[in-house]
Amino acid sequence: MTGPQPEPAMWLPTAASSQAADVDGLFHFILYLCTFFFVLIMALMVYFVVKYRRKSATQKTSAVSGSHKLEIAWSVIPTLLLVVIFFWGFKGWMNLNVPPEDALEIRVLGKKWSWEFDYPYNGVSGAGELVVPVNQPVKLIMSSQDVIHSFYVPAFRIKRDVVPNRYSVLWFNPTKKGTFDVFCTEYCGTSHSQMLSRVKVVSRDDFKKWAETGGGMDGLSPVELGKKLFSSKGCVACHSITDDRMAKPGPALGKRFGKMEEMSTGEMVKVDENYVRESIRNSTAKIVKGYAPVMPPFPASSVSDRQLNALIDYIKSLK
Ligand code: CUA
């Protein structure tokens, strides 16, 4: 991957959105508050255990009748702290849930096991990475093609479930240029942990250029385009590009093109253009021996003919 990488964080990940400071502030407030009272209570407990230990067999404990002052203090102080936490949290929650009017709208499609981004007002569709201009509020309108996924960008402190048959909305305002990780945080099947993408925050000019070239897909050679699609369409989650058959859950694609492959029916098939095309469009038509028929089909609405050709060229190049 190109572009500057965020520094590895010992503590919280880089805070790269306008909402992150508020989320981190509340998180730290609650953390330090709990730490303070934990240490205080533990120290007092140890102190009292030692101070009021039984010193002789005949010693009697003095009777305690109660203390109004103490009781009021331990009721009122935590209540006030709770009210502070509630309103701070509520304010932040409202802010996270109400996208600004001028937000750039992007559609997010989650599917087993990749993310796809469409820019209805910028003429880009099917991008495998989220590219956004810095200091521009972005509204994500998200849905899933199959099962429940969850869209999570740690650097922006945003996360929300992506559900089939409905839209969920998330927004952020990126304040730092750079490349940030996108994770799926809802267990969604065998390659859930491979359902990764990136957010690239770039300058306004770079964003314009990126959108004008169809999301960076123009001007690439077919093999380069195929390589990009191999990762953006999620092929990479299940297919190794080496010839190590054990590396990933699907058939390894390295050094396969032009060879013979045994199918689950016992039939021997040559791995050629038509075989690869059928395996993408109608993925369960022929299953390689020893593998399960779990790959989703990729119709023309999902992988265009041009993209399909590029993928074939890329697989051919894996020598
Ligand atoms: Cu999608 Cu986990």
Side-chain angles (χ1 to χ4, degrees):
M1 270 312 138
T2 52
Q5 293 292 312
E7 288 168 30
M10 277 289 289
W11 187 224
L12 290 177
T14 323
S17 76
S18 61
Q19 299 105 315
D22 207 30
V23 172
D24 290 0
L26 180 58
F27 173 79
H28 285 129
F29 178 73
I30 295 173
L31 180 72
Y32 294 135
L33 193 71
C34 293
T35 310
F36 172 77
F37 280 107
F38 177 76
V39 171
L40 181 74
I41 290 166
M42 289 302 134
L44 285 175
M45 198 172 73
V46 170
Y47 173 73
F48 291 144
V49 161
V50 174
K51 183 168 157 72
Y52 296 110
R53 70 189 186 280
R54 193 160 75 159
K55 288 173 187 137
S56 69
T58 54
Q59 187 189 357
K60 291 254 159 45
T61 322
S62 57
V64 178
S65 61
S67 158
H68 284 302
K69 262 190 221 161
L70 256 181
E71 280 168 24
I72 289 169
W74 79 47
S75 304
V76 169
I77 293 172
T79 306
L80 289 178
L81 289 170
L82 192 70
V83 168
V84 169
I85 292 171
F86 174 80
F87 280 102
W88 193 342
F90 186 69
K91 204 185 120 234
W93 185 82
M94 285 304 283
N95 180 28
L96 284 169
N97 276 284
V98 184
E101 294 269 303
D102 62 339
L104 169 71
E105 278 187 18
I106 300 172
R107 288 189 182 275
V108 178
L109 183 68
K111 53 186 176 182
K112 296 195 278 186
W113 288 277
S114 62
W115 297 104
E116 214 170 276
F117 305 100
D118 290 332
Y119 294 66
Y121 304 105
N122 305 85
V124 176
S125 64
E129 287 175 331
L130 186 57
V131 177
V132 292
V134 70
N135 293 321
Q136 160 71 50
V138 174
K139 179 177 173 185
L140 303 176
I141 303 165
M142 314 187 292
S143 67
S144 166
Q145 184 181 291
D146 35 52
V147 298
I148 301 178
H149 303 278
S150 186
F151 190 85
Y152 178 37
V153 186
F156 297 164
R157 312 289 190 270
I158 54 165
K159 171 159 82 173
R160 181 146 297 167
D161 278 9
V162 178
V163 182
N165 296 318
R166 59 169 295 178
Y167 298 105
S168 46
V169 168
L170 203 54
W171 84 275
F172 60 91
N173 183 1
T175 50
K176 275 187 191 150
K177 280 195 239 173
T179 307
F180 307 101
D181 289 317
V182 174
F183 296 115
C184 175
T185 46
E186 184 68 53
Y187 182 65
C188 55
T190 41
S191 292
H192 155 72
S193 62
Q194 304 287 320
M195 193 168 162
L196 308 168
S197 184
R198 285 189 156 83
V199 189
K200 276 190 189 164
V201 182
V202 297
S203 70
R204 230 157 246 274
D205 286 348
D206 285 352
F207 176 74
K208 244 180 109 185
K209 257 182 249 159
W210 176 84
E212 276 163 6
T213 58
M217 296 295 194
D218 286 355
L220 294 178
S221 76
V223 172
E224 286 169 336
L225 177 63
K227 187 177 180 185
K228 228 171 165 166
L229 292 165
F230 193 76
S231 122
S232 70
K233 296 290 176 190
C235 319
V236 68
C238 295
H239 294 286
S240 165
I241 55 167
T242 68
D243 59 351
D244 175 5
R245 291 180 69 92
M246 303 311 289
K248 300 230 168 137
L253 301 180
K255 299 181 188 159
R256 288 321 301 160
F257 201 89
K259 307 273 169 57
M260 298 301 286
E261 191 83 83
E262 190 181 355
M263 299 296 121
S264 55
T265 54
E267 185 194 358
M268 295 299 288
V269 170
K270 189 174 184 202
V271 180
D272 60 8
E273 274 93 349
N274 279 316
Y275 169 75
V276 177
R277 184 187 178 92
E278 183 185 44
S279 299
I280 293 173
R281 284 273 188 262
N282 184 10
S283 46
T284 49
K286 293 191 178 76
I287 298 298
V288 180
K289 195 176 177 192
Y291 293 95
V294 293
M295 178 168 152
F298 288 84
S301 57
S302 175
V303 172
S304 69
D305 268 15
R306 181 176 163 241
Q307 293 175 327
L308 185 68
N309 291 339
L311 280 167
I312 293 172
D313 289 332
Y314 176 61
I315 291 168
K316 255 191 212 178
S317 77
L318 299 173
K319 298 231 165 76

